[in-house]
Amino acid sequence: METKIGLEIHCQLTGAKSKLFCSCSCEYRGKEANSNICPTCAGLPGTLPLLSRRAVELAGMISAALGCTVPEEIAFYRKNYFYPDLPKNFQLTQYNAYGITSMGVDGIMQYGDGKSARIRRVQLEEDPGRLVYEGSMETSPYALIDYNRAGVPLVEIVTEPDFADPKDVRLFLDKVTSLIEHLGVCDTRLEGSVRCDANVSVGGGNRVEIKNVSSFADVEKALRYEITRQNSMASRDIEIKSETRHWDDARKLTKESRTKEEEQDYRYFPEPDVPSIVLGSEFPSLVSRSMPELPDKRKERFISKHGLSPHVAQVLIDNKELADFFETAMSAHYLPREIANWIVNDLMGFVDEQQKEERSILAGLKVTPGHIAELARLVDEGTINRSIAQQVLAQAVKTGEMPSQVVRKTHSSRIDDSDELGRVVDSVFKAEQSAVQDAKSNANAANFLLGKVMAATKGRADPKAALELIHKKLAEQS
Amino acid sequence: MELFRLDAMQVADGIKKREFSAEEYIQQLLERIDRVEPKVNAFITINRKEAIDKARSIDKKVRDGEPVGPLAGVAVSVKDNICVKGIRTTCASKMLENYVPPYSATVVIRLDDAGAIVIGKANLDEFAMGTTTEFSKHGATRNPWDISRVPGGSSGGSAASVASLECAVSLGSDTGGSVRCPASFCSVIGIKPTYGLVSRYGLVSYANSLEQIGPAGRTVADVTAVMNAIAGSDRNDHTTLDMKPDYSSRVPDRRFRIGIVKEFLSGADPEVAKVVYNAADILTKQGCKCEEVSLGSVEYALASYYTIAMAEASSNLARYDNVRYGFEMSSEGYEWNSYYAKVRSNFGEEVKRRIIVGSYVLSSGYYGKYYLKAQQVRSILKQELKSLFKTYDLLMGPTMPILPFKMGEKIDDPIKMYLVDIDTVVANLAGTPAISIPGGFSGGLPVGLQLMADEFQEQTMLDAASLFESVTHVQRSPDL
Amino acid sequence: MAVTKDQVKHLGWLSRIELSDDELALYAGQIETIIKYLDKLDTVPLQEVKPVVASKKFSDLRDDVAVEFEADPLGTSYRKEGFVKGPRMV
Ligand SMILES: [Mg+2]
Ligand SMILES: [Zn+2]
């Protein structure tokens, strides 16, 4: 059955210093409850919203990067609903109606291999406060409210229902994440800085909203669960209700909301205290001027200028941290392919899945771009071979020692000194008399001897040089 | 000398010349307040201590030869929907009975800088919703000219306190006539400035797109001085315009072309109309040219006004859920929706009515039918006024179509009450300035004259008011 | 159009205002009268008219500077470790 998935992605503009409509700091994390508020974001009577120019600029960058049309004039609307995390009991947001549009509309974004999704709109809005419960929401005798987050600028990206496969959703979200990281508008590693709601319908049935998904990795899981649930209901001819379901992170399933879902009537109308903002015709050029190199361009450069494979380039740019790591390493020793391969194929093996999900791949990692650059150089110069290099990397990950230091300490540099190698070959010939006899008539036995040499040198021997020596010695003896 | 009788400019002058001290003046006013308040009830809060402290600091500055500002020592009452830091701001509502703002409105800071003294917080209709100042948690204010009658509203406490000589000037807020209506009923001057001329930061919102803070006073010179102190752009209010005007209250040389709005007079009480025609005669004698004009879309003005005002109000007042500030009522044991519904049932009757109608006109499917149409009517009205102001410097009519009426007379019939706003809402919808000046009396009751000008033409309005004031001697304070 | 008590009740719910039976009855009648009056708007020919919109230039918006508010803006005494104690959710 045909599955249609649409997304609503909320992304905090942590790249801004102040809240969307007041001068309180955007850095609310780790602060004492209600210590990061002022009369305006606490919704006190008589206060007025003062729109931040920077937030508009950042939202403009996101819109442009998502291929949206940015209008010459934007306006804000009030979305009226009551909820304990809303200081004014309405949210200042944007709404596309009556000739007024949000920050961006009608975009399209390519992702994966030749796939694309349409962006319906990009809107700028304020984050609500935070509710904390003693125990669970159901049993807590009160809601504890912290307004520190209230008013932090959020960009909401709404897609058309252009996804059919949760795997594509994942690829798309990775792309969006990388994009906002590259734009520098949002530190995606901060808890709660990016959130995603999804809506799913199967076989043209009713739309079900899934909320409360706290990580992008879980979006895929939540969607798989929900699609299976809807399919199995449809196959039993049970009608799927149009509803909002919450993702239960602990049990990994979607469930009906416990709070009664009222028919919502948001009574939108234009915010009178924020006049409509004339961005003017210079705005797009202002935005493009402050726009850094975006992931697609960067990938292209990695491929064409530095000779990376499309796959490796993709892995790097999917996470800005990784791409930056690569570029720093490369600037130490220009060995792009070698370095990229070490990062993508080897270094990633040491990063646990959890960290990958949280997009803080390099946090706590003792290996710096300098380490990888040096490792690549040692291999490139032939000081160590690849399998030794892998062991060196493992050691560096553990201790943070530089690769050259590890090599020195473990005497693991490649033995290419022919005297030393000759002595090893001599002793192997002495120990393996019958194999030596064999080898004179059987080429495979020579490889056996080489294996013994490699084992005796713990892999440090240069296999090519060792084999040459073995053949030479066999020839001498025959 | 009875210092409380002095106008603002006389007070500032006398204090600067050390004819009397600010403290003596304030003491006399506080005594006057104690004497007349039982009859008038113009105040919700009286700032005795703060006022005396400020008076002393002004006296000290005068003694030390430091500058004290153009309104030095002048007592001002401030409508209790305008925030004064550290002093409770109730909006005449149970919902804010304990609310003490941690910041001051821009206009309050500017008055303070000009040397004025906030003597108290003036009574109003709850959240400024009303035309009579009867809808107050703190009891109705009475008309000082006849205490069985209403003083008008919603800034009834502001106008009544000025008329009763309890202060020299006052700040009110005008959403649909809320400064001009009580100014008219109490025979004082009241101004609704051009939208965007005076900062609303610190004014508790009722209908944001319509309202402006404006002064009430007994002379043109006094309200001019207050306008000079408060007008001008404010970076705390995005809707203010980038300007800093300086008005004068001299009698002008020029004579004005004045259009008398037919629609304002046709619906007016004949007694009221008589005073307006008489005023037109006086102005004509002074060389002004007065003729009748028509403002056709007045017919739709009230429907447009109430749609917008109630819609915006329903949203503005959503924040009063008693969680962050408010009155004593623990939420323990309540589910949040039922707690909100319970505490919010403490709004007064008129406020609840407007919130409900506001929710109705904004609810799904109705936006285009009401709110959007109402905004379009504003455009039409604006265009119509623009074209009239090409020919006329000013438009004139009564401020209120009727004389001050008895308390309790209209309070139970909302539509009847709304209809009396017909002449004042036009300026709010169009964003243009308007002034109500004492026009005369009818059977001992005041009649206000309304002058309207084009956007930012406050000076023209003040000039005409000065001219009228210089040739008429309308009594401005009653015997109490 | 008649405004029913049920409609007023729903509007009361949308606005989170508990209304007594007497209030429902009173308001239903009054609101019907008010809405009828507002229906006047339907008779204005407005097709081509743009609504009034104030505007502001992008460059005049607030600078992105963080400033700490020195006082505690919350008046409520229902607090716990800095949090505001609100009613329970369910
Ligand atoms: Mg949103
Ligand atoms: Zn703030």
Side-chain angles (χ1 to χ4, degrees):
Chain A
M1 258 184 296
E2 193 198 10
T3 304
K4 279 187 168 176
I5 304 168
L7 304 173
E8 279 176 28
I9 304 160
H10 283 95
C11 146
Q12 283 182 340
L13 299 182
T14 58
K17 291 188 178 66
S18 65
K19 288 184 180 179
L20 187 52
F21 293 108
C22 68
S23 297
C24 291
S25 172
C26 280
E27 289 177 34
Y28 63 88
R29 292 175 177 83
K31 286 187 177 164
E32 191 194 329
N34 294 310
S35 64
N36 187 49
I37 55 175
C38 72
T40 302
C41 57
L44 261 49
T47 54
L48 298 171
L50 301 170
L51 181 61
S52 155
R53 193 170 56 242
R54 180 72 180 146
V56 173
E57 194 181 330
L58 296 180
M61 283 165 63
I62 294 178
S63 300
L66 291 172
C68 289
T69 306
V70 176
E72 285 206 4
E73 206 168 323
I74 58 161
F76 286 83
Y77 273 76
R78 288 190 187 179
K79 182 179 183 179
N80 292 289
Y81 66 99
F82 286 85
Y83 208 75
D85 61 8
L86 275 185
K88 303 183 290 288
N89 286 316
F90 60 76
Q91 183 195 29
L92 281 182
T93 178
Q94 297 189 294
Y95 185 62
N96 296 3
Y98 309 103
I100 302 170
T101 73
S102 57
M103 211 52 239
V105 282
D106 297 335
I108 191 146
M109 198 174 77
Q110 316 292 330
Y111 69 96
D113 276 328
K115 294 192 166 112
S116 71
R118 289 168 299 159
I119 312 291
R120 186 178 295 170
R121 64 172 183 271
V122 174
Q123 68 192 40
L124 187 53
E125 61 186 30
E126 48 182 359
D127 212 350
R130 224 164 42 90
L131 300 179
V132 174
Y133 310 104
E134 287 184 356
S136 73
M137 186 194 205
E138 284 82 6
T139 58
S140 184
Y142 33 69
L144 292 172
I145 315 170
D146 175 14
Y147 298 104
N148 283 348
R149 190 178 73 180
V152 166
L154 276 187
V155 158
E156 181 177 325
I157 301 163
V158 183
T159 75
E160 297 291 344
D162 284 355
F163 305 93
D165 186 343
K167 208 166 70 200
D168 290 344
V169 168
R170 185 57 201 269
L171 288 172
F172 178 82
L173 289 175
D174 282 345
K175 174 89 185 264
V176 170
T177 309
S178 169
L179 200 64
I180 57 184
E181 284 170 351
H182 276 84
L183 290 170
V185 297
C186 175
D187 187 343
T188 59
R189 292 166 302 183
L190 296 172
E191 195 255 317
S193 61
V194 280
R195 280 112 67 181
C196 182
D197 297 339
N199 54 73
V200 189
S201 68
V202 163
N206 276 321
R207 231 169 64 130
V208 174
E209 308 265 351
I210 311 169
K211 289 195 186 272
N212 196 37
V213 192
S214 55
S215 84
F216 278 7
D218 276 3
V219 173
E220 194 180 341
K221 288 182 198 139
L223 284 169
R224 286 197 195 288
Y225 177 88
E226 186 56 27
I227 291 165
T228 310
R229 188 188 73 87
Q230 290 189 25
N231 275 326
S232 90
M233 282 178 74
S235 70
R236 283 177 290 151
D237 274 339
I238 306 171
E239 201 194 72
I240 294 148
K241 279 191 297 186
S242 170
E243 62 173 339
T244 299
R245 297 176 70 85
H246 284 244
W247 174 243
D248 185 330
D249 194 36
R251 290 153 66 203
K252 304 290 177 206
L253 49 82
T254 67
K255 58 178 187 186
E256 263 178 278
S257 309
R258 274 278 271 124
T259 45
K260 206 173 114 216
E261 207 54 48
E262 285 297 324
E263 180 213 342
Q264 290 286 15
D265 186 344
Y266 293 123
R267 290 156 290 149
Y268 283 100
F269 74 100
E271 167 59 60
D273 291 327
V274 181
S276 96
I277 308 302
V278 182
L279 299 175
S281 45
E282 328 86 85
F283 187 74
S285 63
L286 170 81
V287 163
S288 62
R289 242 180 302 144
S290 47
M291 190 97 83
E293 182 188 39
L294 295 182
D296 284 349
K297 271 262 173 65
R298 198 176 197 186
K299 179 182 170 185
E300 196 40 51
R301 178 165 59 86
F302 283 1
I303 295 169
S304 61
K305 196 154 168 237
H306 305 301
L308 304 195
S309 75
H311 167 75
V312 168
Q314 184 65 44
V315 173
L316 288 177
I317 60 105
D318 266 349
N319 191 306
K320 177 171 184 290
E321 226 186 349
L322 216 52
D324 291 347
F325 189 99
F326 163 70
E327 298 223 45
T328 313
M330 189 175 66
S331 69
H333 295 295
Y334 186 70
L335 298 163
R337 267 183 304 197
E338 190 70 33
I339 286 172
N341 286 330
W342 279 108
I343 294 170
V344 170
N345 299 329
D346 299 277
L347 185 60
M348 283 303 97
F350 294 103
V351 177
D352 68 55
E353 286 307 309
Q354 184 64 24
Q355 260 179 299
K356 282 181 194 163
E357 294 304 351
E358 287 164 6
R359 302 191 69 81
S360 54
I361 293 181
L362 305 171
L365 200 65
K366 291 182 176 132
V367 171
T368 66
H371 285 84
I372 299 298
E374 195 175 275
L375 191 70
R377 180 177 56 84
L378 290 172
V379 173
D380 182 64
E381 288 170 352
T383 310
I384 52 177
N385 63 33
R386 228 162 265 285
S387 66
I388 294 286
Q390 274 160 358
Q391 294 163 34
V392 171
L393 178 61
Q395 180 68 13
V397 166
K398 239 183 274 167
T399 63
E401 290 164 286
M402 289 305 284
S404 56
Q405 218 178 332
V406 178
V407 167
R408 221 174 302 125
K409 253 172 63 185
T410 56
H411 308 287
S412 55
S413 60
R414 198 163 62 176
I415 301 168
D416 46 10
D417 178 286
S418 54
D419 287 350
E420 196 184 345
L421 202 54
R423 280 193 294 278
V424 178
V425 172
D426 284 350
S427 66
V428 167
F429 268 59
K430 226 172 260 163
E432 304 288 344
Q433 303 254 344
S434 60
V436 171
Q437 289 311 315
D438 224 9
K440 287 175 184 162
S441 55
N442 178 358
N444 281 337
N447 283 333
F448 174 81
L449 292 172
L450 175 61
K452 289 288 169 189
V453 171
M454 294 310 286
T457 58
K458 297 199 180 90
R460 289 160 58 216
D462 178 354
K464 223 171 114 196
L467 197 60
E468 259 171 42
L469 265 180
I470 290 166
H471 282 304
K472 205 172 133 203
K473 211 167 159 74
L474 285 171
E476 279 167 12
Q477 288 188 358
S478 56
Chain B
M1 188 166 41
E2 287 188 314
L3 298 176
F4 64 82
R5 292 195 182 278
L6 300 180
D7 298 331
M9 291 300 89
Q10 296 171 317
V11 170
D13 200 44
I15 290 172
K16 283 183 205 165
K17 289 184 177 148
R18 298 178 72 174
E19 288 163 8
F20 51 88
S21 71
E23 189 178 350
E24 281 172 83
Y25 164 69
I26 292 295
Q27 287 291 4
Q28 276 205 25
L29 270 182
L30 290 170
E31 283 162 28
R32 169 76 179 173
I33 286 170
D34 289 338
R35 220 162 39 240
V36 303
E37 266 302 276
K39 291 183 209 163
V40 181
N41 192 36
F43 286 95
I44 290 176
T45 305
I46 297 158
N47 303 339
R48 291 173 198 279
K49 192 187 168 301
E50 297 85 352
I52 291 170
D53 287 349
K54 175 89 196 273
R56 285 178 181 157
S57 85
I58 285 169
D59 288 333
K60 185 176 182 306
K61 279 187 184 167
V62 172
R63 282 196 307 273
D64 295 349
E66 286 174 38
V68 283
L71 292 168
V74 172
V76 53
S77 68
V78 173
K79 190 178 183 179
D80 207 22
N81 62 347
I82 299 172
C83 294
V84 180
K85 185 176 173 176
I87 291 170
R88 127 192 123 118
T89 296
T90 70
C91 292
S93 179
K94 165 83 177 168
M95 301 304 290
L96 290 176
E97 67 179 11
N98 293 327
Y99 177 65
V100 178
Y103 74 102
S104 279
T106 299
V107 290
V108 169
I109 292 169
R110 289 182 179 175
L111 278 183
D112 188 60
D113 289 347
I117 298 174
V118 178
I119 191 117
K121 301 299 296 290
N123 202 6
L124 66 154
D125 287 295
E126 185 177 359
F127 285 102
M129 298 180 192
T131 309
T132 64
T133 319
E134 290 173 290
F135 294 119
S136 167
K137 173 83 185 8
H138 300 267
T141 296
R142 291 157 205 282
N143 192 316
W145 296 91
D146 176 351
I147 60 169
S148 71
R149 291 176 191 268
V150 300
S154 64
S155 312
S158 288
S161 63
V162 170
S164 313
L165 308 177
E166 295 176 285
C167 56
V169 287
S170 182
L171 287 184
S173 65
D174 192 312
T175 309
S178 284
V179 169
R180 288 162 289 155
C181 159
S184 166
F185 279 9
C186 295
S187 197
V188 298
I189 300 169
I191 295 179
K192 196 294 279 188
T194 304
Y195 191 82
L197 181 60
V198 178
S199 167
R200 287 179 298 115
Y201 182 68
L203 166 67
V204 179
S205 293
Y206 154 27
N208 333 42
S209 74
L210 297 164
E211 59 209 9
Q212 281 285 289
I213 290 171
R218 295 187 294 268
T219 69
V220 179
D222 285 6
V223 291
T224 304
V226 175
M227 282 298 288
N228 281 337
I230 63 173
S233 59
D234 175 18
R235 50 191 193 91
N236 283 324
D237 179 353
H238 266 353
T239 62
T240 54
L241 284 114
D242 190 16
M243 60 190 310
K244 178 73 194 110
D246 186 22
Y247 302 114
S248 121
S249 56
R250 280 188 308 272
V251 178
D253 307 328
R254 68 189 268 240
R255 294 300 177 253
F256 305 97
R257 298 163 298 167
I258 301 173
I260 298 170
V261 182
K262 193 166 73 182
E263 288 79 4
F264 287 174
L265 281 160
S266 60
D269 181 327
E271 293 296 308
V272 170
K274 213 162 87 186
V275 174
V276 176
Y277 284 124
N278 186 43
D281 286 344
I282 293 170
L283 287 165
T284 306
K285 270 187 206 129
Q286 293 305 309
C288 296
K289 202 178 137 209
C290 298
E291 58 192 33
E292 267 202 357
V293 295
S294 173
L295 191 61
S297 42
V298 164
E299 193 192 339
Y300 303 105
L302 268 182
S304 165
Y305 169 74
Y306 275 103
T307 297
I308 292 163
M310 292 187 190
E312 291 180 5
S314 72
S315 169
N316 286 327
L317 270 59
R319 72 188 64 194
Y320 305 111
D321 56 24
N322 219 40
V323 169
R324 293 160 297 284
Y325 45 82
F327 61 95
E328 274 307 311
M329 181 178 157
S330 166
S331 62
E332 227 135 303
Y334 283 99
E335 180 266 340
W336 71 276
N337 280 308
S338 54
Y339 180 73
Y340 282 18
K342 176 70 80 190
V343 294
R344 288 169 58 77
S345 70
N346 284 290
F347 280 123
E349 188 185 316
E350 180 62 20
V351 172
K352 284 192 262 194
R353 192 157 37 229
R354 294 193 191 195
I355 291 176
I356 291 168
V357 177
S359 287
Y360 182 102
V361 298
L362 287 177
S363 57
S364 66
Y366 285 155
Y367 181 89
K369 185 172 156 70
Y370 297 105
Y371 193 83
L372 188 64
K373 282 246 168 87
Q375 293 287 17
Q376 289 174 302
V377 167
R378 289 180 83 162
S379 293
I380 294 182
L381 208 48
K382 250 183 128 121
Q383 285 161 15
E384 220 177 327
L385 283 173
K386 262 271 169 282
S387 79
L388 281 175
F389 285 128
K390 276 185 195 144
T391 317
Y392 302 97
D393 302 306
L394 295 154
L395 296 179
M396 187 168 85
T399 307
M400 298 301 289
I402 50 170
L403 294 167
F405 46 91
K406 294 275 188 192
M407 296 183 64
E409 199 181 299
K410 295 207 189 324
I411 194 163
D412 292 326
D413 187 343
I415 280 284
K416 216 158 115 193
M417 177 116 78
Y418 300 163
L419 287 175
V420 303
D421 292 341
I422 182 79
D423 302 338
T424 47
V425 296
V426 171
N428 302 86
L429 289 167
T432 48
I435 189 170
S436 179
I437 57 177
F441 286 82
S442 175
L445 295 173
V447 175
L449 198 64
Q450 181 174 228
L451 294 168
M452 294 166 61
D454 202 358
E455 284 180 300
F456 300 106
Q457 298 308 308
E458 269 78 1
Q459 186 62 62
T460 309
M461 222 165 67
L462 291 167
D463 282 349
S466 294
L467 177 65
F468 190 75
E469 183 182 59
S470 70
V471 293
T472 59
H473 296 282
V474 180
Q475 190 193 346
R476 299 230 170 76
S477 60
D479 297 322
L480 269 165
Chain C
M1 190 183 7
V3 175
T4 63
K5 274 168 77 169
D6 275 352
Q7 261 177 296
V8 177
K9 201 170 175 176
H10 173 69
L11 292 167
W13 162 255
L14 267 183
S15 320
R16 296 299 185 280
I17 298 177
E18 187 181 282
L19 296 168
S20 67
D21 243 21
D22 287 349
E23 283 178 307
L24 289 177
L26 174 75
Y27 286 145
Q30 290 179 338
I31 287 165
E32 184 174 322
T33 316
I34 295 168
I35 296 296
K36 264 192 194 139
Y37 184 79
L38 302 186
D39 280 340
K40 234 181 212 283
L41 293 171
D42 259 355
T43 64
V44 211
L46 290 168
Q47 256 39 342
E48 302 298 308
V49 183
K50 277 188 137 186
V52 166
V53 187
S55 65
K56 197 172 181 73
K57 281 197 308 223
F58 170 72
S59 53
D60 291 339
L61 295 179
R62 179 175 55 83
D63 292 340
D64 186 33
V65 179
V67 181
E68 202 175 322
F69 185 73
E70 67 290 348
D72 177 6
L74 298 171
T76 183
S77 55
Y78 295 103
R79 302 287 283 266
K80 184 174 183 176
E81 290 152 18
F83 289 95
V84 169
K85 265 178 166 182
R88 61 188 163 78
M89 296 303 294
V90 189

